[in-house]
């Protein structure tokens, strides 16, 4: 009898979603709906409540690690895998809307593409986005992930990634989940070292973006194009001599693509 009641509840929950979407669902009901696909033939309502209580919110549950989730009684490997899959799945979905090989030629496009990479991230991550001569993305790689306030990045792996994928230029991006959006001195030092390491192999760095909450700091924009609103800011050359507050941070390469210079960072 209990199994029939649970089965009926599951069916009603799924039918409600098909009719209404998730707009009328509470956090624990959304979680319960997800859990029905990982835990068959069991009432998962108490487990959904227990997870929300343990991690504080639906977002907290989805951002927890598999090991943290499996510490909650009733959560097995299947349920933990399904829940931890959600943030990277949503990130992939957001990026897929830009196409398989999107063109990133301005800050607005860079924010959209790279912002999706940090969806649900609660530790610091550093990405290298490889681009061809047309500013088209050819490869994106998570170079490092660290604690909530630090991540170690060295130039050599960046050079290896760029050469392996025949990049003409790279876009760097990392996040500050536990701090402020302004670059630290280490951020400038790291960027300068990467630019210097890539220059001898003919690979440029178009920008280094730092994400913090809903804000993003562009090293290129803040160093040279303070007068340009983000939607108009372009990584392609419109003029060789653009006045700026910190000197000419970028130089034009042979294909009209602006790249950072290490001596001016």
């Amino acid at each position: 009898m209990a199994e029939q009641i649970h089965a009926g509840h599951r069916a009603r929950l799924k039918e409600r979603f098909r009719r209404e979407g998730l707009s009328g669902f509470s956090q624990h009901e959304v979680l319960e709906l997800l859990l029905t696909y990982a835990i068959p033939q069991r009432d998962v309502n108490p487990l959904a409540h227990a997870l929300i209580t343990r991690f504080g919110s639906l977002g907290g549950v989805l951002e927890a690690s598999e090991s943290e989730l499996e510490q909650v009684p009733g959560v097995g490997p299947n349920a933990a895998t399904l829940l931890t899959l959600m943030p990277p799945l949503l990130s992939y979905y957001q990026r897929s809307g830009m196409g398989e090989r999107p063109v990133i030629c301005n800050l607005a496009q860079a924010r959209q593409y790279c912002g999706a990479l940090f969806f649900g991230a609660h530790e610091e991550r550093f990405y290298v986005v490889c681009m061809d001569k047309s500013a088209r993305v050819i490869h994106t790689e998570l170079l490092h992930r660290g604690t909530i306030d630090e991540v170690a990045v060295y130039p050599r792996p960046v050079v290896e990634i760029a050469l392996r994928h025949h990049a003409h230029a790279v876009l760097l991006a990392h996040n500050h989940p536990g701090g402020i959006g302004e670059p630290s001195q280490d951020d400038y030092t790291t960027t300068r070292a990467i630019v210097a390491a890539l220059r001898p192999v003919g690979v440029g760095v178009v920008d280094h973006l730092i994400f913090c909450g809903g804000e993003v700091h562009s090293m290129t924009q803040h160093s040279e194009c303070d007068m340009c609103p983000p939607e108009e800011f372009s990584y392609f050359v419109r003029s060789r001599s653009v006045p700026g507050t910190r000197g000419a941070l970028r130089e034009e390469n042979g294909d009209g693509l602006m790249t950072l210079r290490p001596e001016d960072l």
Side-chain angles (χ1 to χ4, degrees):
M1 179 65 69
E3 289 184 0
Q4 292 178 350
I5 293 174
H6 299 329
H9 177 64
R10 286 167 176 258
R12 288 191 296 273
L13 198 65
K14 293 174 182 178
E15 178 58 29
R16 181 181 161 197
F17 167 68
R18 284 190 286 268
R19 282 196 325 266
E20 306 172 8
L22 293 176
S23 58
F25 278 58
S26 64
Q27 294 191 62
H28 83 270
E29 288 174 325
V30 174
L31 187 54
E32 185 180 356
L33 180 61
L34 273 176
L35 290 171
T36 62
Y37 292 97
I39 304 175
Q41 300 179 347
R42 197 178 100 201
D43 182 11
V44 293
N45 180 276
L47 179 57
H49 280 283
L51 285 165
I52 295 290
T53 299
R54 171 71 178 271
F55 297 103
S57 66
L58 176 61
V61 174
L62 298 182
E63 292 173 4
S65 67
E66 287 193 38
S67 60
E68 290 172 327
L69 290 169
E70 289 182 14
Q71 291 174 14
V72 178
V75 178
N78 288 343
T81 299
L82 177 66
L83 294 175
T84 54
L85 172 65
M86 290 299 105
L89 176 64
L90 292 173
S91 170
Y92 195 95
Y93 168 74
Q94 290 181 0
R95 285 182 287 125
S96 69
M98 297 181 69
E100 283 291 324
R101 297 181 61 187
V103 173
I104 299 178
C105 59
N106 58 49
L107 182 53
Q109 292 169 343
R111 289 181 64 165
Q112 180 184 358
Y113 183 83
C114 294
L117 297 172
F118 300 105
F119 186 91
H122 56 280
E123 83 262 289
E124 195 161 336
R125 298 179 182 179
F126 193 104
Y127 285 92
V128 178
V129 181
C130 297
M131 302 157 66
D132 64 15
K133 291 182 179 181
S134 301
R136 189 176 299 276
V137 174
I138 53 180
H139 177 75
T140 299
E141 186 156 331
L142 173 60
L143 183 62
H144 284 293
R145 68 171 66 198
T147 64
I148 197 168
D149 58 359
E150 67 173 303
V151 59
V153 177
Y154 301 99
R156 181 172 177 176
V158 180
V159 174
E160 291 173 349
I161 292 169
L163 292 177
R164 186 185 316 129
H165 297 281
H166 308 288
H168 179 69
V170 299
L171 171 63
L172 309 175
H174 81 280
N175 62 329
H176 285 177
I180 60 175
E182 292 293 318
S184 66
Q185 186 55 54
D186 285 344
D187 291 335
Y188 281 115
T189 300
T190 297
T191 306
R192 186 182 300 115
I194 291 173
V195 173
L198 287 170
R199 174 179 280 178
V201 295
V203 179
V205 178
V206 294
D207 207 344
H208 185 169
L209 303 180
I210 301 171
F211 289 81
C212 184
E215 300 180 357
V216 60
H217 180 99
S218 159
M219 285 193 179
T220 300
Q221 184 196 31
H222 280 78
S223 298
E224 186 173 67
C225 293
D226 292 330
M227 74 296 293
C228 300
E231 61 273 11
E232 295 180 9
F233 174 70
S234 175
Y235 293 125
F236 287 94
V237 176
R238 302 217 185 273
S239 170
R240 280 184 177 274
S241 57
V242 181
T245 57
R246 298 184 191 172
L249 276 184
R250 297 180 298 167
E251 62 181 10
E252 180 184 5
N253 62 31
D255 296 281
L257 192 66
M258 286 290 198
T259 53
L260 294 170
R261 298 191 305 183
E263 61 268 25
D264 294 315
L265 279 169

